[in-house]
Amino acid sequence: MERRSLESFTARHHLDSRSLCAQILEAREGAIAVRSAEAATDNLTRIIEATLRLANRKGFAAMTLRELARESGLSLGGLYAYIGSKDELARLIQSWVSRTLRRVMAHVLEDIHDSHARLASAIEAHLLTTEALREWFFFLYMEAHHLAADERRQAVAAERNSEQIFADIIRQGQAEGRYGGMDADIAAGLLKAMLQDWYLKRHKHGERGLDVSAYADIVTAAAEALLQASDKTKTTTHG
């Protein structure tokens, strides 16, 4: 598999806050009355990045819109031109995190058919996406329990959707005789936990001298070992 650098991957898939904010504004065309798309993108980027900083410092639940206005450098009235409430802001971040991950994963995997290559590529793509947008993913994971009920359900559904990508690859590998008979959904959940560990405890992995590419190799090797050993594990457990 061709190794992707974080920089080239980020540029290819437009994985930076400003690019995502431009996509958000394009999707919400007409909902925000602005004179300049460039200025609107700048302002929404300031709002989102200020939200992520404040949430990291004091928690999203404790953050007020007045504090957000000060942190972003906008007036309170200017802030309301882009978001109507904290709940709307949380929905915006949640929906675009999950939408972006789905988009990138689908694009990376569309021309890869071998299950082994699909698994390795999916792991690498997931890790590179979360590395490029680490603050967005960290926010969603840490603040999910503060979201309103509908947003919590959507966050859970988004996590299951990404797990489903891995479960489908595992089932393909099982059908090809490459992997053992471990429950694909359980295996995908275990794999997802390893992937989340990268952006939740990145300092720990950094202290071990790992970068995102090295961690991708480790997770891929661990997943392959787990899946290939699953029949033996099942036999041992029930024997």
Side-chain angles (χ1 to χ4, degrees):
M1 183 182 72
E2 181 183 352
R3 173 64 71 198
R4 306 175 180 94
S5 72
L6 176 63
E7 293 75 17
S8 65
F9 190 85
T10 298
R12 179 179 178 83
H13 297 286
H14 309 291
L15 297 177
D16 60 89
S17 291
R18 197 175 193 285
S19 293
L20 258 64
C21 288
Q23 294 168 40
I24 291 169
L25 288 167
E26 184 177 356
R28 301 176 75 192
E29 186 177 3
I32 301 175
V34 293
R35 294 181 180 178
S36 163
E38 192 80 9
T41 300
D42 288 341
N43 288 339
L44 185 57
T45 302
R46 288 159 65 185
I47 291 168
I48 297 291
E49 290 183 341
T51 299
L52 301 178
R53 288 194 301 271
L54 285 170
N56 188 51
R57 287 206 302 262
K58 63 183 300 180
F60 184 72
M63 181 193 82
T64 67
L65 289 182
R66 192 171 298 278
E67 288 172 323
L68 178 57
R70 284 198 300 270
E71 182 77 16
S72 65
L74 299 175
S75 67
L76 197 56
L79 193 66
Y80 279 118
Y82 294 88
I83 58 163
S85 66
K86 281 178 61 178
D87 285 345
E88 181 182 339
L89 181 57
R91 280 196 298 273
L92 202 62
I93 296 172
Q94 184 274 325
S95 64
W96 280 88
V97 164
S98 58
R99 184 182 304 192
T100 299
L101 184 59
R102 287 198 305 272
R103 169 178 63 82
V104 173
M105 298 283 279
H107 186 266
V108 166
L109 295 174
E110 63 182 348
D111 294 323
I112 303 174
H113 306 292
D114 174 76
S115 59
H116 176 77
R118 283 178 68 81
L119 183 62
S121 294
I123 288 170
E124 183 185 55
H126 192 292
L127 287 168
L128 289 173
T129 302
T130 60
E131 175 69 1
L133 297 170
R134 187 169 66 253
E135 292 82 4
W136 293 64
F137 281 88
F138 187 82
F139 169 89
L140 185 58
Y141 186 92
M142 298 303 293
E143 302 298 335
H145 58 291
H146 292 306
L147 297 175
D150 284 345
E151 282 73 50
R152 284 200 304 274
R153 282 193 290 270
Q154 290 174 20
V156 170
E159 182 169 338
R160 287 177 178 166
N161 284 339
S162 64
E163 284 185 18
Q164 189 63 47
I165 294 171
F166 291 102
D168 288 344
I169 294 171
I170 292 166
R171 290 190 183 95
Q172 178 191 344
Q174 290 170 336
E176 294 170 353
R178 184 185 298 272
Y179 300 140
M182 183 176 189
D183 185 286
D185 293 316
I186 293 174
L190 294 172
L191 178 52
K192 181 73 173 183
M194 286 192 285
L195 295 171
Q196 288 175 326
D197 202 56
W198 174 255
Y199 62 85
L200 293 177
K201 301 176 183 177
R202 189 172 178 274
H203 64 282
K204 173 185 71 176
H205 300 300
E207 290 171 356
R208 293 170 176 165
L210 297 176
D211 62 12
V212 65
S213 295
Y215 189 71
D217 290 340
I218 290 170
V219 173
T220 300
E224 289 284 347
L226 173 68
L227 293 166
Q228 290 171 7
S230 59
D231 271 349
K232 181 186 291 186
T233 302
K234 185 175 181 181
T235 302
T236 302
T237 302
H238 298 285

